[in-house]
């Protein structure tokens, strides 16, 4: 299936909506944030916010939702809502743990490349004892340009010491997929119910979950 492609020597994961169901939590938090202001969270607003760094996401919320609150106030309120909702709703996405194990058995290095802040990433991955399983972690603070700019993925493959064509990226959002595709990596798009409306035409492959057998097939392709 993948014999004509270069071998995979590193794997880079997005975080939100890909490894953890944080988009479910943010959806509930966003609905409450808007409801408190007598407003409604629309699909257009969700789409503009997905996969972007916090300041960019909340600016889109302000622009499209007609909200006048300061971005810092919106972020703090959302953090509080997220923490309360996460207690009962946060979970690992299907297929993640077995995929991590398979990658580790093949001794392929792994990275996280997220648009979220470092303290948030560390909190989530520590919560599920996942942080130590990654060789490299990149967050919003580590790059100048946010997704869909390819900077974060170019930085990740550089730190992993592989060429972009030898890296596999797993992304759930159109924004992140565009960043990974622009970086020249092999991109598996793994849309969830919040992101499946996106245009994933630039993805190398589109799969329904991290448990899809084609991901392991791509890891095992020799490129010979």
């Amino acid at each position: 299936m993948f014999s004509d492609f270069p071998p995979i020597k590193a794997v880079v994961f997005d975080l939100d909506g890909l490894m953890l169901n944080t988009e479910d939590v943010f959806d509930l938090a966003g609905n409450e944030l808007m409801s408190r202001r007598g407003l409604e969270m629309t699909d257009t607003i969700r789409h503009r916010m997905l996969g972007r760094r916090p300041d960019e996401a909340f600016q889109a919320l302000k622009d499209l939702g007609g909200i006048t609150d300061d971005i810092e106030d919106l972020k703090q309120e959302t953090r509080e809502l997220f923490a309360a909702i996460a207690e009962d709703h946060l979970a690992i996405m299907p297929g993640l743990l077995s995929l991590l194990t398979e990658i580790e058995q093949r001794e392929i290095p792994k990275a996280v490349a997220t648009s979220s802040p470092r303290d948030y990433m560390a909190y989530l991955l520590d919560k599920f004892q996942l942080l130590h399983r990654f060789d490299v972690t990149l967050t919003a603070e580590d790059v100048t340009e946010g997704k869909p700019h390819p900077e974060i993925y170019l930085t990740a493959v550089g730190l992993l010491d592989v060429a972009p064509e030898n890296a596999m990226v797993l992304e759930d959002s159109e924004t992140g997929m565009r960043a990974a595709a622009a970086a020249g990596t092999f991109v598996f798009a793994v849309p969830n119910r919040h992101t499946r409306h996106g245009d994933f035409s630039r993805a190398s492959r589109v799969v329904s979950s991290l448990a899809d057998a084609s991901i392991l097939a791509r890891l095992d392709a020799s490129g010979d």
Side-chain angles (χ1 to χ4, degrees):
M1 185 192 311
F2 298 110
S3 59
D4 294 333
F5 290 89
I8 295 300
K9 299 179 180 179
V11 181
V12 188
F13 288 77
D14 177 46
L15 175 62
D16 290 298
L18 188 279
M19 289 200 282
L20 303 172
N21 71 332
T22 49
E23 300 299 0
D24 291 339
V25 180
F26 276 121
D27 191 46
L28 294 170
N31 288 340
E32 176 60 22
L33 187 78
M34 297 294 273
S35 178
R36 289 177 176 182
R37 292 159 175 79
L39 301 170
E40 183 179 352
M41 178 65 77
T42 66
D43 289 340
T44 299
I45 295 173
R46 289 189 187 94
H47 182 64
R48 283 284 298 277
M49 294 181 75
L50 279 168
R52 300 185 184 274
R53 294 184 294 183
D55 283 4
E56 297 164 349
F58 281 103
Q59 187 61 56
L61 179 69
K62 284 169 59 69
D63 293 343
L64 296 173
I67 294 176
T68 59
D69 304 59
D70 290 338
I71 287 178
E72 289 303 318
D73 293 336
L74 290 170
K75 289 196 292 186
Q76 180 58 36
E77 186 175 350
T78 301
R79 279 193 290 266
E80 294 169 358
L81 287 167
F82 182 94
I85 296 168
E87 288 298 318
D88 296 323
H89 292 84
L90 193 61
I92 292 173
M93 292 296 275
L96 174 65
L97 296 180
S98 59
L99 178 57
L100 290 175
T101 298
E102 292 284 353
I103 295 170
E104 288 160 2
Q105 289 175 349
R106 290 163 174 78
E107 299 183 342
I108 298 174
K110 306 183 297 299
V112 176
T114 176
S115 297
S116 295
R118 181 161 293 276
D119 58 351
Y120 165 85
M121 178 208 68
Y123 160 73
L124 289 179
L125 295 184
D126 272 338
K127 182 178 178 66
F128 293 99
Q129 293 82 51
L130 295 172
L131 185 58
H132 71 281
R133 300 181 73 167
F134 291 92
D135 304 277
V136 169
T137 57
L138 289 170
T139 62
E141 296 92 333
D142 298 312
V143 293
T144 302
E145 303 289 341
K147 301 174 185 179
H149 193 281
E151 180 185 0
I152 196 165
Y153 284 116
L154 291 172
T155 303
V157 298
L159 291 172
L160 292 167
D161 196 26
V162 300
E165 59 267 26
N166 294 121
M168 174 196 294
V169 170
L170 298 156
E171 268 281 1
D172 71 294
S173 72
E174 177 187 341
T175 301
M177 177 276 303
R178 287 167 57 199
T185 67
F186 189 98
V187 193
F188 272 104
V190 194
N192 56 56
R193 68 186 184 90
H194 302 286
T195 62
R196 60 190 176 202
H197 59 272
D199 177 4
F200 293 99
S201 59
R202 294 188 63 193
S204 307
R205 293 287 189 278
V206 180
V207 296
S208 60
S209 81
L210 293 174
D212 192 287
S214 61
I215 297 176
L216 293 184
R218 181 66 186 93
L219 287 178
D220 292 334
S222 67
D224 294 335

